[in-house]
Amino acid sequence: MKKIILAAVACVAMGFAFAEGSAWDVNGYFRSGIEGNTEGKNVKTKTFKDGKYYGNGTSRARLNINFTQEEYGFKFRYQNEKFGWENQSATDKNNWFNSSNISYMFGYAKFCDGKIVAEAGKLMDFYTQSEARFEYQAIGDYGVRAVVVPVDGLFLSAAATTYRAETYAADDDEVVDRKATVGNIKFNEKLLTLSAKYKHEKFTVAGGYNLAGEAYGFFALKAVPNLKFNVEARYWDKDISGKLDGDDKATSYTEAWELVNYNFKGMGLPLEAGVYFHQTLVKDDNVIEFYPHLSYAINDVVSPEFEVGIIQYSNGDKHKDKDGEKQTMSFNVTPSVKFTAGKRATVKVYYNYDKNDKSSFGTTLRVNY
């Protein structure tokens, strides 16, 4: 059966490949590394630089395949994070080919000179998502989506997906009355997501809302040369957040990220500096983090980097240090050196001091293709 499926996919791909005006784009990356420390603990180092990780980012292999034709196409992403030093269980070692490795796979058709786009499959939002570190969106999984582009730069979207869909349980009236089957998806407002985005040469703003109770927003300023400034945030209603307040009652949850970064190369200096902010806001347990960072390119190959992380806790009882004592503030320091091989490969060697887990060190490799 697998051979038949592969043969069918190959035939379809060959048909696409020879379609008039068609184009293929294949890209992705591989990253992995190793980290350890003198105390034998798993230190979670965070970093601003380029949105990359030093040591706590899982090993990952990613492959993007895009096929575009004037009026239709498809997008596909294979991604595996079940290998590397951090994932060595017996079930993970050979977990390379299953449905969980497919991040998205969908086809689309364009109408009215691209002013209307219809999509179907395992969706990913390429029109109205945020453009910062986490590319926030409020859709996912399987479904259909329509995008309207009334004017250049403005995108309006409506989707119906399984992302937050409810399913019937055995005690639901519809199941008892034999009008539905256990596990079937309920047709209600929680299927729906509405979103919008406007892209201008000086700024971009985006936002969306899934009717199950999840929202996101994004803003980026592009008016100042060499300055990068953006904000993205995500909100979960108490019914879906999974968070509890001090009285063990369900409560809403908000996560926000802000970035201010300036590249001094316009002044003739191979220097970048900035600060990265992160907040998790939940009743009785807010956490505020900020990471000042600095990077200096000695030449095209070697770039020393330095970052300090400062974390503030509103509820020290929920954030104990390594000795079990409550803490209201923590910090870490991460000097590193990045080695660049051409335009697509980097190696980082770093050391991390953390208030709670001392003396971490490691190295990472990333190759883009």
Side-chain angles (χ1 to χ4, degrees), residues 11 21 29 38 52 105 177 234 238 241 247 272 312 320 367:
C11 289
Y29 66 81
T38 56
K52 309 297 191 302
M105 182 172 62
D177 295 337
R234 198 167 190 170
K238 65 179 182 179
S241 71
D247 299 322
E272 288 187 38
Q312 177 75 43
K320 305 294 180 67
V367 178

Side-chain angles (χ1 to χ4, degrees), residues 43-258:
V43 176
K44 295 184 179 299
T45 307
K46 296 186 176 182
T47 180
F48 152 77
K49 187 62 180 173
D50 296 331
K52 309 297 191 302
Y53 298 87
Y54 287 111
N56 69 319
T58 56
S59 296
R60 174 183 290 175
R62 174 183 288 182
L63 173 66
N64 301 320
I65 299 176
N66 301 322
F67 169 79
T68 57
Q69 206 270 347
E70 185 176 356
E71 295 178 342
Y72 60 88
F74 74 84
K75 295 181 179 291
F76 169 84
R77 171 178 289 173
Y78 168 88
Q79 184 163 294
N80 191 307
E81 300 186 20
K82 298 295 185 179
F83 70 97
W85 293 87
E86 69 280 356
N87 287 307
Q88 286 297 301
S89 68
T91 57
D92 288 339
K93 287 182 178 179
N94 299 311
N95 190 18
W96 285 88
F97 299 101
N98 58 51
S99 60
S100 64
N101 297 139
I102 300 175
S103 299
Y104 59 79
M105 182 172 62
F106 64 92
Y108 62 87
K110 295 182 178 181
F111 306 91
C112 303
D113 295 325
K115 297 296 184 183
I116 300 176
V117 183
E119 302 173 337
K122 190 172 185 180
L123 299 176
M124 174 74 173
D125 182 4
F126 288 97
Y127 285 96
T128 62
Q129 68 180 9
S130 70
E131 298 175 0
R133 182 169 184 171
F134 286 98
E135 298 181 337
Y136 280 158
Q137 53 185 303
I139 67 167
D141 292 339
Y142 299 90
V144 295
R145 185 168 182 250
V147 181
V148 179
V149 190
V151 296
D152 290 344
L154 177 61
F155 306 91
L156 306 175
S157 168
T161 75
T162 59
Y163 176 60
R164 289 290 183 184
E166 294 180 319
T167 57
Y168 287 104
D171 56 353
D172 284 335
D173 293 338
E174 292 83 353
V175 175
V176 175
D177 295 337
R178 297 184 180 181
K179 296 179 181 180
T181 303
V182 174
N184 282 359
I185 294 175
K186 294 183 179 181
F187 190 77
N188 57 27
E189 74 282 357
K190 295 184 180 181
L191 294 172
L192 300 178
T193 299
L194 304 176
S195 58
K197 185 175 188 176
Y198 181 67
K199 300 185 69 170
H200 188 271
E201 63 179 3
K202 296 186 181 299
F203 68 92
T204 297
V205 60
Y209 181 66
N210 178 278
L211 273 64
E214 179 179 340
Y216 72 97
F218 170 75
F219 174 80
L221 179 66
K222 305 176 181 179
V224 181
N226 300 316
L227 175 68
K228 182 182 290 185
F229 173 80
N230 57 58
V231 178
E232 63 179 342
R234 198 167 190 170
Y235 168 83
W236 293 265
D237 186 78
K238 65 179 182 179
D239 294 329
I240 61 173
S241 71
K243 301 293 183 179
L244 301 177
D245 61 18
D247 299 322
D248 290 332
K249 295 181 179 179
T251 186
S252 59
Y253 176 58
T254 300
E255 184 174 40
W257 304 81
E258 301 89 32

